[in-house]
Amino acid sequence: MPTLWVGLLGLLALMYCPAEAAKNYASALSKSILFYDAQRSGPLPANNPVPWRGDSALNDCVVGGWYDAGDHVKFGLPMSSSTTLLLWGLIRFKDGYIKANQLNHMLDSIKWPLDYFLRAWNPSTRTLTVQVGDGYADHEWWGRPEDMTMSRPCQTVTTSNRGSDVAAGTAAALAAGAVAFMNNGDTVYSDELLVAAESLYDFAKTYRGIFYGAASFYASSGDRDELCEASIWLYKATRLSKYLNDARSFVDTGTAWALSWDDKRAACQLLIYEETHENQYRSAVVNFLQSWQPGGGVSYTPCGLAWRDKWGANRYAGNVAFLALLAGEMGIDAAKYRKWAVEQVNFLLGDNNHAGGCFSYVVGYGNKYPLQPHHRSSSCPSPPQACNWDTYNLHSPNPHVLNGALVGGPDQNDNYVDLRSDYVHNEVATDYNSGFQGALAGAVHLEALHALPSTNNRCPCNQ
């Protein structure tokens, strides 16, 4: 072959060979929804896509909802927070779900916690069930949710046993659900959600007090962020100015430590900015996102994960990546924050150096991923084989693949051990996936618009 042709072919190869392997955000999105299917409590539907899961906890005081993490407690604060973030992603990046052919799956998935919240709230008695199960008793047992025999006590919020943190958080989820299902043309269900959201918000606003105290598994730092989030979502659902006025009264424009189940300040700042376009809220969002940029106060691992804390490091990065993509949609430094957000997602999907590189922290995605997530149900072999603490101590892969679960993640130096007993780095939870799933939908949305940014990850996957 002439030298000129060889040179041209080589040039073409360089032009069309990406510097790093492309990520399949749509596939990761579909798997993340499957993780939530695996967390379902109660009687499973005929279309259950997780064959190793069955009906469970049928005698709970309120049936349904999601098991929180690798355990089988239903905690209202993280469940409501996860639901709200997931709904925000569905509302803002609906085209991403459509492009990934996951819209119907997502609508079916998100109805599960929403239906549970509707059953949990009794406006006549002003009683909200906010927890089912005892965390201490639950954590002393290892097995399938289908086999549970321990007592599963109910905890409720009332006019005397107050909990405006979790009540307002639940109202926010219901209000966001009303918006999402209205956008999808289901006005009957949307109206049902909205009626519940309004009455629950009024209850939370009237009877203020913190339910999840310092001794709780999920200790709440306050209720103003949840009241802010609930009121702004109610404004979006109703366009009633009283709700926007409430949101303004509850918002804190300071810079949050993170976006999490406990702290929704940054989310509320951005939601209010979307409605008002006022500079004070834009500045608050920018200050928060800048604090997550290199040199802004958040540590970075050698391969570039924005590492906030050893507990669920991947969760925090995924949540802020989602918020950064949302900010970009609202015209806030779109090029900068989109690039940063997609680089964080890329790290989680394989642009890191663990296990020789190309390791996905999402179970079931790619060729290398966690085989021993800290998760009771997936660690159990199929019946009639036993599942107990001996199963927990086995150094072998979980018999069932917990598709889509985002594990806690590496330490500050990118060290990670795929070991079931390492619940710090190998835990999974509904709140871990919530912002991350929205970020995946946002990435698919950008792909559909041919606006996915070029990235420059420090440890790119070339496989």
Side-chain angles (χ1 to χ4, degrees), residues 132-375:
V132 183
D134 181 322
Y136 296 100
D138 183 277
H139 289 183
E140 291 177 358
W141 183 80
W142 192 271
R144 307 176 189 90
E146 294 82 2
D147 298 336
M148 288 187 294
T149 59
M150 80 283 284
S151 173
R152 290 178 59 78
C154 254
Q155 296 192 41
T156 59
V157 163
T158 64
T159 57
S160 56
N161 187 38
R162 300 182 178 189
S164 47
D165 48 355
V166 63
T170 306
L174 290 165
V179 174
F181 282 89
M182 178 61 72
N183 291 349
N184 202 56
D186 191 342
T187 57
V188 174
Y189 190 57
S190 175
D191 288 346
E192 183 182 6
L193 294 169
L194 182 56
V195 168
E198 290 195 282
S199 63
L200 184 53
Y201 171 72
D202 288 342
F203 166 76
K205 184 181 173 184
T206 303
Y207 300 98
R208 292 184 63 181
I210 303 304
F211 177 81
Y212 282 102
S216 304
F217 281 83
Y218 287 92
S220 174
S221 58
D223 66 349
R224 292 181 64 88
D225 56 330
E226 281 88 11
L227 286 163
C228 181
E229 194 175 39
S231 53
I232 193 62
W233 276 114
L234 279 167
Y235 177 70
K236 288 177 176 293
T238 66
R239 311 314 292 181
L240 294 175
S241 59
K242 67 177 183 178
Y243 291 124
L244 181 57
N245 292 336
D246 277 2
R248 289 176 180 274
S249 72
F250 288 124
V251 70
D252 178 346
T253 55
T255 302
W257 182 80
L259 172 61
S260 71
W261 55 265
D262 178 44
D263 194 340
K264 289 95 170 178
R265 283 179 290 171
C268 203
Q269 292 161 1
L270 185 58
L271 287 163
I272 298 177
Y273 173 73
E274 184 178 26
E275 298 298 338
T276 66
H277 296 286
E278 293 181 8
N279 190 59
Q280 61 175 319
Y281 305 117
R282 185 187 192 278
S283 296
V285 172
V286 170
N287 289 340
F288 175 73
L289 292 176
Q290 281 300 113
S291 73
W292 280 75
Q293 300 299 299
V298 174
S299 300
Y300 276 71
T301 69
C303 281
L305 176 70
W307 193 93
R308 179 43 111 180
D309 189 67
K310 70 176 184 178
W311 290 94
N314 289 346
R315 166 259 311 271
Y316 291 119
N319 284 354
V320 181
F322 175 50
L323 195 80
L325 291 177
L326 291 166
E329 291 297 301
M330 298 176 202
I332 301 177
D333 295 330
K336 175 181 180 178
Y337 292 130
R338 283 173 174 172
K339 179 178 183 293
W340 178 86
V342 174
E343 286 175 347
Q344 292 301 301
V345 171
N346 287 353
F347 175 99
L348 300 176
L349 294 180
D351 285 353
N352 57 70
N353 62 8
H354 181 71
C358 300
F359 182 85
S360 165
Y361 285 100
V362 177
V363 177
Y365 176 89
N367 297 319
K368 290 186 285 187
Y369 51 80
L371 300 177
Q372 294 188 45
H374 182 87
H375 185 264

